[in-house]
Amino acid sequence: MSQFTHKFYPEAPPRVAVLGINPGRLGMGLTGVAFTDPTALTDLCGIEHDLPRQRPETSTQFVYKVIAEMGGPAAFYQHFYVGSLDPLVLLKNGLNYNYYDSPVLTKALWPYIQLSLRQQVESLGLRRDVAVSLGKRNGEFFKRLNAELSLFDKIIVLDHPHYLMQYKSRGEAANVAHYVEMLGRCLPCS
């Protein structure tokens, strides 16, 4: 993660927050980099590591197709910060679990998620005019958090990459194009 941050997040204009649910065990849970599995970290980001190579993670595949369409990692990360509302890897029976899958868990984590979101915005100097939620259900909670914290003027909600790859894979090209269009609207005018 440190190598990735130094390479792709040097000082630059404020970035747009693109926030998923919480890290998955096969992507950010291993690499520390949101929506980036070990294979993408090496092959697409040019960062060597000792992590085991594995079958590509589906969300990573989708996100990096979008990133490629937007000029590649260096160009993309100059304008966007990719992270999660809840920075904790959550597992149930060895599988990924979302912070909102249990009302009791959501309630217990809520103060921590608020703190994490506030810290990401303030310490990273993220743009306040717009943010992007990856996942519709995540978007509901993101909007609720934003109503409580007043951090962003607008939140754009996109279908989650995993959902698109699992249930809408026949429309992958159109889904990538939709992401590129919506994220492109967040870019500053040239």
Side-chain angles (χ1 to χ4, degrees):
M1 181 179 182
S2 177
Q3 290 178 54
F4 182 91
T5 301
H6 290 303
K7 182 172 185 174
F8 294 112
Y9 291 137
E11 287 189 31
R15 292 173 174 85
V16 174
V18 179
L19 301 176
I21 302 163
N22 43 263
R25 71 191 190 287
L26 302 176
M28 188 174 180
L30 289 175
T31 65
V33 180
F35 293 97
T36 304
D37 63 25
T39 301
L41 192 60
T42 300
D43 296 350
L44 303 174
C45 298
I47 296 174
E48 296 298 325
H49 54 79
D50 294 330
L51 298 169
R53 286 205 172 236
Q54 60 190 33
R55 180 179 47 134
E57 197 270 330
T58 59
S59 293
T60 296
Q61 290 176 319
F62 182 85
V63 167
Y64 277 90
K65 286 177 183 177
V66 170
I67 289 171
E69 289 294 317
M70 296 188 78
F76 180 84
Y77 290 117
Q78 182 177 355
H79 298 286
F80 298 97
Y81 163 76
V82 183
S84 301
L85 280 184
D86 176 12
L88 301 175
V89 174
L90 302 174
L91 301 175
K92 183 174 182 180
N93 300 322
L95 300 175
N96 290 338
Y97 197 69
N98 301 319
Y99 70 85
Y100 55 64
D101 285 338
S102 158
V104 172
L105 180 62
T106 304
K107 183 177 180 179
L109 290 176
W110 198 254
Y112 179 71
I113 294 171
Q114 286 178 315
L115 176 64
S116 173
L117 181 58
R118 192 177 310 112
Q119 285 177 334
Q120 288 179 79
V121 170
E122 293 171 0
S123 67
L124 300 173
L126 299 174
R127 281 178 43 190
R128 301 283 192 112
D129 59 315
V130 65
V132 178
S133 170
L134 301 184
K136 289 185 178 179
R137 185 119 187 258
N138 189 52
E140 294 170 16
F141 287 91
F142 194 172
K143 287 180 177 182
R144 191 171 121 203
L145 281 162
N146 194 50
E148 294 173 7
L149 302 173
S150 299
L151 295 172
F152 302 102
D153 298 336
K154 177 181 179 182
I155 296 174
I156 297 170
V157 179
L158 299 172
D159 284 325
H160 195 278
H162 183 79
Y163 169 80
L164 292 173
M165 292 296 281
Q166 185 169 359
Y167 299 108
K168 305 284 184 179
S169 62
R170 288 186 184 198
E172 182 178 330
N175 293 330
V176 168
H178 179 68
Y179 257 65
V180 170
E181 176 188 351
M182 298 306 291
L183 293 174
R185 291 180 185 181
C186 299
L187 293 174
C189 297
S190 312

